[in-house]
Amino acid sequence: MSQLPERTDALVIGGGVIGNSIACQLAEAGVGTVLLERGALGSGSSGTTAGVVRTYFPGNALISSLAVRSLSAYHAFAERTGTDLGLKRIGLLVLFTDEHQVQDFRHTQAAQQAAGVDVELVTAAEAARLNPLVDERTVLAAAWSPEAYACDPAAIVRGYATAAQQAGAILRTETPVTGIGPDGRVHTPAGSIRADTIVCAAGPWAGTVAAMADVHIPVTTYPVEMLLTDSPGSAPRNALPMTMHPSSLRIRSWGDRILIGMGRPAPDESRQAWLQRVSHRLGTTFPTLAGNGLEHGWSGDLDVSPDGMAFIGRDDSRPFLYAAGFSGQGLCQAPAAGEIIRNLVLGKESWIDTAGLSTARCLSGSAETG
Ligand SMILES: Cc1cc2nc3c(=O)[nH]c(=O)nc-3n(C[C@H](O)[C@H](O)[C@H](O)COP(=O)(O)OP(=O)(O)OC[C@H]3O[C@@H](n4cnc5c(N)ncnc54)[C@H](O)[C@@H]3O)c2cc1C
């Protein structure tokens, strides 16, 4: 293992979509940047996603605003980094099954549109036209947002990493951070490095990394399992919109199968019982999928904050910045998160007031994901 440089302007911990976006944007702004990743780039949460970027986040116009900003960066990504993200428009359908959900949508639609989100209320019949698997008798209405895309998450990591290196950043893999001293010295098995500014982008492990610097980031790890229908040909030939049900069931096409997310077994529930619950919910919401077997797709760790919104900000006591807790939405926000961190390092204003993103909002309550 070669030695680390003696010092750097900024040291980014974590080589997922967030850390690489930050490293790229810092390096391109002329900030001397080193990124340390304990495994391979993209080997954390970023390597386990459903591969969807969208702009509509029901109930949270601030997240939507970060996602709108990020999507426009993704549209310019190939030109900027030379890497094609394989963006393919699929759209997002959020099903409503009771009147309260429809009312909530109406109350928040103006804020969403002000954030730049293209979203409208559609009838149950229209929802069934947009996604032919939907049984219009089981839904009241739906929100339809055309701006949702399937993409290649590994290409996001690769594109930012390549651009960061071209701009002079040093990216070190297989280099875990094992300690952070009060003097800004960061320790690894390959030696230590002094950083003027430390940026924690360690995803689900951000709380553990921040604790090394005596900083509290209330991010928890929430393991989830993705499932696939077991029969080839279960997905219609045209790609389905990503479709979310109030039960937390969400589906999208995955080749000729359907990719399904519905969290994980409840604490007192066996995996078998959970699979039966997913299968039942799938069959009631999308009757043509009733009777399909379910296969394990893959598992991953969600990076959950107490209120489902990321922490992006600076600790008051030391030059320690953080971007973590994206709660299942990190692909959708990586470009904007990198831009905000870069601006904080440079002492520049961002395009939105970022105060509400700081850990100082000190939330309590149960974890939610978008
Ligand atoms: C099953 C699943 C599906 C998802 N689908 C989507 C989706 O479709 N769209 C979307 O927007 N989001 C999705 N997400 C969420 C998304 O994956 C995350 O929000 C995003 O990847 C977070 O990126 P990150 O860079 O913060 O974290 P990570 O990708 O986890 O990167 C953090 C890195 O820090 C490294 N690290 C940890 N500790 C140390 C240390 N001590 N020293 C050095 N390095 C360290 C880790 O190895 C890791 O590589 C999904 C998540 C899961 C689990």
Side-chain angles (χ1 to χ4, degrees), residues 57-66 108 111-112 115 117:
F57 287 88
N60 196 321
L62 180 51
I63 298 180
S64 295
S65 151
L66 298 179
T108 55
Q112 291 286 343
V117 179

Side-chain angles (χ1 to χ4, degrees), residues 69-93:
R69 184 89 170 179
S70 295
L71 182 62
S72 95
Y74 284 142
H75 282 312
F77 200 81
E79 198 177 325
R80 175 179 179 177
T81 67
T83 304
D84 180 8
L85 298 182
L87 288 176
K88 181 173 179 207
R89 181 137 93 170
I90 55 173
L92 168 69
L93 201 54

Side-chain angles (χ1 to χ4, degrees), residues 196-366:
D196 294 350
T197 299
I198 295 168
V199 185
C200 175
W205 306 277
T208 309
V209 168
M212 295 179 193
D214 286 329
V215 172
H216 182 52
I217 306 179
V219 170
T220 48
T221 307
Y222 185 90
V224 293
E225 180 176 346
M226 304 299 287
L227 301 166
L228 287 164
T229 46
D230 66 351
S231 48
S234 41
R237 195 168 307 186
N238 292 331
L240 295 170
M242 179 175 171
T243 304
M244 295 166 51
H245 185 267
S247 61
S248 89
L249 172 72
R250 54 192 65 193
I251 65 164
R252 64 159 289 201
S253 324
W254 195 258
D256 60 356
R257 299 177 193 235
I258 306 283
L259 180 66
I260 301 149
M262 201 169 113
R264 63 174 181 187
D268 55 351
E269 189 178 37
S270 68
R271 180 168 180 278
Q272 198 50 37
W274 171 71
L275 283 173
Q276 278 169 8
R277 191 157 57 85
V278 176
S279 179
H280 175 74
R281 170 52 59 203
L282 194 67
T284 5
T285 311
F286 309 108
T288 53
L289 295 182
N292 259 274
L294 299 178
E295 279 179 354
H296 171 78
W298 61 88
S299 299
D301 291 313
L302 286 181
D303 44 351
V304 177
S305 77
D307 62 351
M309 190 163 80
F311 296 115
I312 309 175
R314 174 197 294 277
D315 187 67
D316 286 340
S317 60
R318 58 187 302 178
F320 187 96
L321 281 67
Y322 47 81
F326 288 84
S327 305
Q329 308 148 3
L331 299 184
C332 306
Q333 300 173 62
E339 188 182 348
I340 292 171
I341 292 289
R342 179 201 65 200
N343 290 347
L344 286 170
V345 169
L346 297 178
K348 281 172 58 175
E349 294 283 314
S350 280
W351 78 103
I352 48 160
D353 179 3
T354 57
L357 294 168
S358 132
T359 52
R361 65 183 191 262
C362 283
L363 289 155
S364 58
S366 63

